[in-house]
Amino acid sequence: VPPPPPGPNPWGPMADGLRQLSLGESLVASGAAVVAATMVTHPVDVVKVRLQLADKGSSRADSFSVLRFARLWPTLYRSEGSAVFFSGIRSGAVRAGTYGTARIGLCEPLQEAIGTRTGGALLSGVLATTVGNPFEVLKVRLQARPAEAAGGEFGAMRAMVREEGFSVLARGFRWAAARSALLTASQVVPYGYAKQSLRPILGTDGILLHLVASLVAGVVTCTTTAPVDVMKTRVMSAAAGGGQQHGVVALLRSEGPLFFFKGWLANYVRIGPQTLFIFVFYEQARRAVCALRPSG
């Protein structure tokens, strides 16, 4: 699809000459991009969650060891079968279609309204969590304990609510909102700046520019969000009265500061490609939407 004529928006994360989308168009484009990217990277997300929930041991290995990351795949396969890598995928898709759509789709309109990239990104992240948190709780629970999905994923949600009350759907909201705000700001903003900085070196928009900018944004994103992401996973995965709901200070004392970076490598392996897929799919969706608009 040929690129549409340039628009006036200087703040959008895709500020590269594409015409401004309406709110509805932005939500549709971002929803398609985020759901597709989530499906591709879901198995790595399962491995990340397992590393974050690993019993007290070597936090350094759980955080940054390539060997630990690589060995966990065959270990999970031997003990739980290939289905483990797709545990929670339906709830992950629903979460992507709600939370992900709002997080990316609202970002550009809010950036335009507020007049700042970072402020719009932070606000869209927090707003997205309000609609996506129930599905995030379900996804993390099933990734940690796939057996709970024996009666279907949404049967597992009903069982959760029946046993723990509706408040379970808001569990970990503070950590999730903090992660979402930091994730959006540290993903969208560095991606936009990296594209601007690298364009004179790598040439006009293309897959190489998107790839390198995504890898740069991925490093910033994983490092910025790691501590709140670990805490979110611990809190959401805990059943009522479970032992995982420890305070920050207690965890810091018992496992050391590297505890807050558990799963960093797995998260980067996931977020790097996911960032690429989201923005590549989103940019193509934007072009398609603009091409379908009536002229004049």
Side-chain angles (χ1 to χ4, degrees):
V1 178
N9 175 27
W11 294 110
M14 308 303 151
D16 52 8
L18 292 182
R19 208 162 111 199
Q20 174 75 10
L21 298 184
S22 69
L23 176 59
E25 291 169 337
S26 181
L27 290 173
V28 169
S30 62
V34 175
V35 170
T38 298
M39 296 300 94
V40 172
T41 59
H42 187 82
V44 186
D45 193 37
V46 173
V47 174
K48 180 205 76 169
V49 167
R50 293 302 184 92
L51 286 168
Q52 290 177 333
L53 295 175
D55 292 334
K56 181 179 177 181
S58 174
S59 292
R60 181 186 295 274
D62 289 337
S63 302
F64 305 113
S65 172
V66 175
L67 190 59
R68 170 84 166 112
F69 171 69
R71 284 178 172 173
L72 188 55
W73 291 80
T75 299
L76 288 173
Y77 177 77
R78 284 193 299 268
S79 62
E80 302 181 47
S82 59
V84 67
F85 300 112
F86 301 95
S87 54
I89 195 167
R90 294 185 188 87
S91 50
V94 176
R95 171 188 174 271
T98 52
Y99 159 85
T101 297
R103 185 173 72 84
I104 300 296
L106 292 177
C107 185
E108 186 172 342
L110 287 172
Q111 287 175 327
E112 182 73 19
I114 295 174
T116 165
R117 288 185 177 187
T118 304
L122 289 170
L123 183 56
S124 70
V126 173
L127 292 175
T129 306
T130 62
V131 296
N133 202 74
F135 304 106
E136 175 79 356
V137 174
L138 179 62
K139 177 180 75 76
V140 171
R141 284 283 190 94
L142 298 182
Q143 288 175 332
R145 298 184 292 278
E148 292 186 9
E153 293 198 9
F154 294 101
M157 178 177 278
R158 287 193 297 271
M160 253 180 9
V161 172
R162 185 172 59 249
E163 294 168 10
E164 303 177 47
F166 280 101
S167 62
V168 70
L169 302 179
R171 180 168 293 166
F173 179 84
R174 289 182 307 161
W175 295 112
R179 176 189 177 273
S180 181
L182 291 172
L183 174 69
T184 310
S186 63
Q187 190 177 51
V188 171
V189 177
Y191 178 84
Y193 280 119
K195 278 185 63 178
Q196 290 177 0
S197 301
L198 292 168
R199 188 176 285 113
I201 302 170
L202 299 177
T204 56
D205 274 0
I207 190 65
L208 179 60
L209 177 60
H210 299 162
L211 174 61
V212 177
S214 297
L215 293 175
V216 171
V219 172
V220 178
T221 299
C222 288
T223 305
T224 302
T225 62
V228 291
D229 191 40
V230 171
M231 291 304 301
K232 172 191 72 71
T233 298
R234 285 290 179 113
V235 172
M236 286 185 172
S237 66
Q244 292 280 14
Q245 297 193 59
H246 302 302
V248 173
V249 176
L251 288 167
L252 186 61
R253 286 174 178 168
S254 65
E255 301 194 41
L258 283 178
F259 163 80
F260 295 105
F261 293 91
K262 276 192 168 189
W264 187 96
L265 180 62
N267 202 23
Y268 182 70
V269 171
R270 168 182 167 266
I271 279 189
Q274 188 181 55
T275 303
L276 172 65
F277 290 138
I278 286 174
F279 288 117
V280 169
F281 293 160
Y282 186 37
E283 291 185 357
Q284 296 309 310
R286 284 171 55 110
R287 286 185 165 89
V289 167
C290 290
L292 292 172
R293 282 175 172 171
S295 57

